[in-house]
Amino acid sequence: MASARNPLLTESSLPFRLPQFADIREEHYGEAFAVGMTEQREEVAAISANPDAPTIENTLVALERSGRVLDRVASVFFNKASSDSTAFTDDLEQELAPLLAAHHDAITLDPALFARIDDLWQRVDELDLDAETRYLLERYRTEFTLAGAGLDAEQKRRLSAVNAELATLTTRFEKNLLADTNDLAVHVLDVTELDGMEEGQLAAAREAAAERGLDEGYLITLPLFTGHPLLASLTRRDLRERIMTASRSRGIRGGDHDNRDLVLEVTRLRAQRARLLGFRDHASSVTADETARTPEAVAELLGRLAPAAARNAAAEKAALRDAAQGEIDEVRSWDWPFYAERVRRARYDVDTAAMKPYFELERVLRDGVFHAAERLYGVTFREREDLLAYHPDARVFEVTEGDGTPVGLYIGDFYTRDSKRGGAWMNALVSQSSLLDEPVVVVNNLNIGKPPAGMPTLLTVDETETLFHEFGHALHGLFARVRYPRFSGTNVFRDFVEFPSQVNEMWMLWPEVLANYAVHHETGEPMPADLVERLEASSTWGQGFGTSEYLAAALLDQAWHRITADDEVTDVAAFEARALAEAGLADEAVPPRYASTYFAHTFAGGYDAGYYSYIWSEVLDADTVEWFRENGGLTRENGDRFRARLLGVGGAKNPLEAYRDFRGRDARIEPLLERRGLN
């Protein structure tokens, strides 16, 4: 019997239905998942067994209304599991993974349910549907078909077994990665080894060591990607090598956290599933329901960019050799960021480390990120200290229109901790839907080092850009106004979802925005204009490395997922080496941004065969930045157009149609080539 006191079983009474975190206990999660799955299975069974002829109301709308308890607990739990995990959440997540996969399959593989959806689809032109409802029917028919709804009973049984196993394996991959990343943090006892680190960075490293119970020294924790921000400033080459070696060792050291067998098994099972579904390989099954449509289209874009990126990286490497002459014999991966910064300073008189005092977190957030949104969209932000989030570091802000109309809640969780997975991301805790009368609550997670109490949080250029990027996802979630929950917020094609967030990065250095937030945290002096001009002048420096490391990861993701069910791969390292060599990106000094055993995007994060999405979306992003510049930049008129025709649409329209509606044409690739120095 469900407990009446379980806060996850009923709608929250808090503003915007913010989850009642103060009342949620660990034992509530399992109970709510069990109740939620049972309720939705009963709701779907009633739809399937309905003796009346299928209608939009008794089939699609009924499906959209189903599973409210399950949606509620899943949103809260999986945010908790990624942002502030515990041994309990780790165990429960691994227990739930196959159960939720089976639950999903029971719905999408239900033959009676699919027959009702297909019946509606066959009569679509007779139904006189509005555009959003017609698109909803199209999406249901497509997604059920691609999920295997048309398979026979034995094929469905095999498919469900594969899906359950994959859910278990990908969950284990993520847990292994977090544990190994924490375990491989670099402990430094002698402060003299840390030459090149600033006072705030040293304090954060000392704090990290203390939090681990280390009485002495400093702890350098690892980000999700291969490199490390400190590689650009640490003068001790042996320490830089230790950090890079630790990063690249994740998942390959043997023992409980080795991910190599998981990589092989996950890709094997995905290939088998693709064959069951009638596709050559997993990449084909994924792109069939993305804007790219085929892996060949992805290969054409990546293949067009890779040779130019490799040439630019080679030219940069030659410049690094000249800069390092007499100091090292060969430029290695742990040397590249250090000497790249030296060249940047020499050529452009730019020291990115000198910009950190101007990027204090609170100013960046309120006077930069929020200010740009206020100027563009007319919204305001007010911190709600009376509303409790899921962790003491997570802060709640209420977002309203200029006239006071509520928009939603924004939660910012900016600091790193051992219980948080790496990287940066956006989640929705409550997803807007007029059908369900649901408001919206979104979360941004970053992994910024937390300084001791009383010290300012100073951001790097990259961290500042990341905050603007993730806030672009948040705006997408906050502004989407749709009827059906399936289309809420960022529920768009995977290779489109990064587009709004990438566009939002442009405001970081936009003159009116920068002038409002980039002031020295001690003196209050604005960032010198010539420093910004030099930074922008240097924007193509390092693009050879940056584009190459990204493309190497994207092409590696594609290679793993072009494997067929007949292929046998037994050696992860050998497969990686061959894939990078075939792509022309096999320079040891420019490793992939993510190697296979710590590639969370593709083996745990939903970007399998989809990591190409970032640069695919960047074609649209660069073209959109050009549009803003041509049309006056940071104006309400421009913001209202972008909000109404793109952000506000959510997933309720084909995204490329929405883009054409905004831009008046398809995107051109030339702005991207110019931005990355690839033309």
Side-chain angles (χ1 to χ4, degrees):
M1 176 68 72
S3 168
R5 292 176 293 178
N6 187 330
L8 294 168
L9 297 180
T10 57
E11 288 182 349
S12 169
S13 60
L14 294 176
F16 299 91
R17 297 183 192 157
L18 177 72
Q20 296 170 217
F21 292 110
D23 299 328
I24 296 172
R25 302 289 179 263
E26 288 185 339
E27 61 268 20
H28 293 147
Y29 290 118
E31 179 187 43
F33 271 112
V35 170
M37 284 189 277
T38 298
E39 282 189 359
Q40 188 173 36
R41 289 287 290 273
E42 292 172 350
E43 291 163 343
V44 172
I47 298 169
S48 297
N50 190 334
D52 296 335
T55 65
I56 294 298
E57 191 68 29
N58 70 19
T59 303
L60 296 193
V61 172
L63 278 171
E64 289 293 283
R65 292 185 181 279
S66 73
R68 298 192 70 177
V69 169
L70 183 58
D71 288 343
R72 185 182 306 123
V73 63
S75 296
V76 174
F77 175 76
F78 287 111
N79 180 76
K80 167 75 173 175
S82 60
S83 303
D84 189 27
S85 65
T86 64
F88 171 84
T89 61
D90 286 351
D91 290 344
L92 182 57
E93 188 173 8
Q94 294 188 66
E95 177 186 332
L96 286 169
L99 299 178
L100 289 170
H103 177 78
H104 178 266
D105 284 347
I107 297 171
T108 57
L109 302 182
D110 181 335
L113 181 59
F114 181 61
R116 296 181 71 85
I117 294 169
D118 191 54
D119 178 89
L120 290 169
W121 178 249
Q122 299 307 320
R123 298 185 288 114
V124 63
D125 292 329
E126 306 167 11
L127 298 177
D128 191 28
L129 305 177
D130 63 80
E132 185 175 350
T133 303
R134 184 185 179 104
Y135 192 56
L136 179 72
L137 176 54
E138 177 187 328
R139 294 306 306 145
Y140 263 110
R141 174 55 161 61
T142 299
E143 290 172 12
F144 271 56
T145 300
L146 291 174
L151 300 179
D152 63 33
E154 174 57 22
Q155 289 171 323
K156 287 180 180 178
R157 186 196 64 76
R158 290 164 53 202
L159 179 63
S160 293
V162 169
N163 286 340
E165 190 169 358
L166 278 169
T168 298
L169 295 176
T170 54
T171 301
R172 190 185 307 161
F173 182 100
E174 182 177 28
K175 302 310 172 189
N176 285 354
L177 176 56
L178 177 59
D180 219 27
T181 298
N182 287 338
D183 189 48
L184 281 161
V186 177
H187 187 206
V188 179
L189 291 173
D190 186 351
V191 70
T192 64
E193 293 185 45
L194 301 175
D195 181 56
M197 287 177 64
E198 302 160 355
E199 180 183 357
Q201 292 171 325
L202 286 169
R206 181 69 199 103
E207 188 83 359
E211 288 179 357
R212 292 277 188 96
L214 300 171
D215 295 333
E216 297 181 67
Y218 304 79
L219 196 69
I220 298 173
T221 58
L222 302 178
L224 191 60
F225 58 90
T226 295
H228 196 291
L230 290 176
L231 296 180
S233 59
L234 288 170
T235 61
R236 286 283 296 264
R237 191 186 192 207
D238 57 342
L239 180 56
R240 299 200 305 266
E241 182 178 1
R242 279 182 64 194
I243 294 170
M244 179 61 77
T245 300
S247 178
R248 301 221 62 190
S249 298
R250 286 175 289 176
I252 61 171
R253 298 187 297 155
D256 292 341
H257 302 143
D258 195 301
N259 274 337
R260 286 173 291 190
D261 286 344
L262 290 178
V263 168
L264 296 174
E265 186 65 4
V266 165
T267 50
R268 183 184 68 82
L269 288 170
R270 285 174 175 168
Q272 288 182 4
R273 181 174 62 185
R275 173 169 288 181
L276 268 174
L277 294 171
F279 292 96
R280 176 194 178 276
D281 50 47
H282 183 64
S284 298
S285 70
V286 168
T287 52
D289 201 31
E290 305 289 356
T291 66
R293 295 304 178 197
T294 68
E296 287 75 24
V298 175
E300 193 279 329
L301 176 65
L302 301 185
R304 177 176 180 179
L305 302 178
R311 286 195 302 271
N312 289 354
E316 290 170 10
K317 191 175 187 178
L320 302 188
R321 285 197 197 98
D322 291 342
Q325 195 168 18
E327 297 179 13
I328 59 176
D329 295 330
E330 181 182 0
V331 176
R332 306 296 295 271
S333 58
W334 48 86
D335 300 313
W336 195 297
F338 182 80
Y339 289 103
E341 278 302 301
R342 180 181 292 185
V343 173
R344 189 192 302 274
R345 287 194 298 270
R347 288 188 179 181
Y348 304 100
D349 193 22
V350 171
D351 180 2
T352 55
M355 302 181 79
K356 286 189 66 176
Y358 299 94
F359 292 153
E360 189 271 323
L361 174 60
E362 198 66 18
R363 289 296 301 260
V364 173
L365 179 67
R366 293 183 180 274
D367 299 333
V369 172
F370 289 171
H371 174 71
E374 290 164 358
R375 291 281 301 272
L376 273 172
Y377 308 115
V379 293
T380 61
F381 300 83
R382 177 172 67 95
E383 188 155 10
R384 294 290 304 268
E385 295 183 356
D386 58 313
L387 296 179
L388 184 71
Y390 55 88
H391 188 277
D393 285 343
R395 303 161 60 188
V396 182
F397 298 85
E398 183 172 353
V399 188
T400 58
E401 304 285 6
D403 63 3
T405 302
V407 175
L409 293 182
Y410 168 75
I411 299 176
D413 186 357
F414 305 119
Y415 292 117
T416 192
R417 49 184 172 264
D418 285 353
S419 60
K420 183 189 286 190
R421 68 175 170 87
W425 66 94
M426 170 265 190
N427 285 336
L429 289 176
V430 183
S431 297
Q432 181 274 333
S433 161
S434 64
L435 177 71
L436 304 180
D437 191 30
E438 288 278 22
V440 59
V441 180
V442 299
V443 181
N444 271 166
N445 267 282
L446 276 72
N447 269 283
I448 299 166
K450 186 177 183 180
M455 292 191 67
T457 302
L458 303 182
L459 308 185
T460 65
V461 172
D462 286 345
E463 288 169 338
T464 304
E465 184 176 77
T466 297
L467 180 52
F468 274 86
H469 175 100
E470 295 303 330
F471 192 71
H473 286 304
L475 289 175
H476 199 183
L478 286 164
F479 287 161
R481 288 296 177 267
V482 299
R483 182 183 181 198
Y484 300 112
R486 176 160 298 236
F487 294 147
S488 65
T490 58
N491 287 326
V492 298
F493 291 149
R494 177 65 70 186
D495 57 8
F496 187 82
V497 73
E498 297 297 335
F499 160 61
S501 54
Q502 289 168 329
V503 168
N504 204 62
E505 293 173 17
M506 88 166 91
W507 308 118
M508 172 187 164
L509 295 180
W510 201 266
E512 302 104 298
V513 178
L514 189 74
N516 200 62
Y517 77 87
V519 300
H520 198 283
H521 73 100
E522 291 179 330
T523 68
E525 292 295 314
M527 180 181 288
D530 63 324
L531 180 58
V532 181
E533 291 168 3
R534 294 196 302 271
L535 179 67
E536 292 180 326
S538 72
S539 62
T540 57
W541 168 250
Q543 285 291 346
F545 177 91
T547 306
S548 293
E549 68 158 1
Y550 165 76
L551 289 175
L555 286 159
L556 186 59
D557 171 43
Q558 288 294 300
W560 278 118
H561 295 114
R562 296 305 302 274
I563 291 171
T564 73
D566 295 325
D567 295 326
E568 184 176 354
V569 181
T570 59
D571 188 321
V572 171
F575 182 89
E576 270 194 11
R578 183 168 61 254
L580 295 176
E582 290 174 355
L585 296 170
D587 188 342
E588 283 292 328
V590 190
R593 185 165 180 80
Y594 303 99
S596 302
T597 55
Y598 53 91
F599 204 164
H601 286 78
T602 195
F603 291 110
Y607 277 77
D608 40 296
Y611 191 63
Y612 75 89
S613 301
Y614 289 90
I615 206 152
W616 190 270
S617 298
E618 196 179 343
V619 174
L620 306 178
D621 153 38
D623 195 54
T624 299
V625 169
E626 184 178 78
W627 180 89
F628 270 98
R629 286 175 175 153
E630 291 170 349
N631 289 276
L634 190 76
T635 69
R636 275 295 307 279
E637 182 180 3
N638 289 344
D640 288 347
R641 180 183 178 94
F642 190 65
R643 178 177 177 177
R645 303 193 185 199
L646 280 167
L647 300 180
V649 171
K653 189 175 185 177
N654 181 294
L656 295 185
E657 289 181 15
Y659 186 81
R660 282 190 287 271
D661 184 37
F662 163 74
R663 189 68 165 100
R665 58 165 173 76
D666 290 330
R668 296 165 55 248
I669 196 174
E670 286 74 17
L672 168 68
L673 299 178
E674 181 177 354
R675 172 191 288 183
R676 287 187 172 261
L678 298 174
N679 47 5

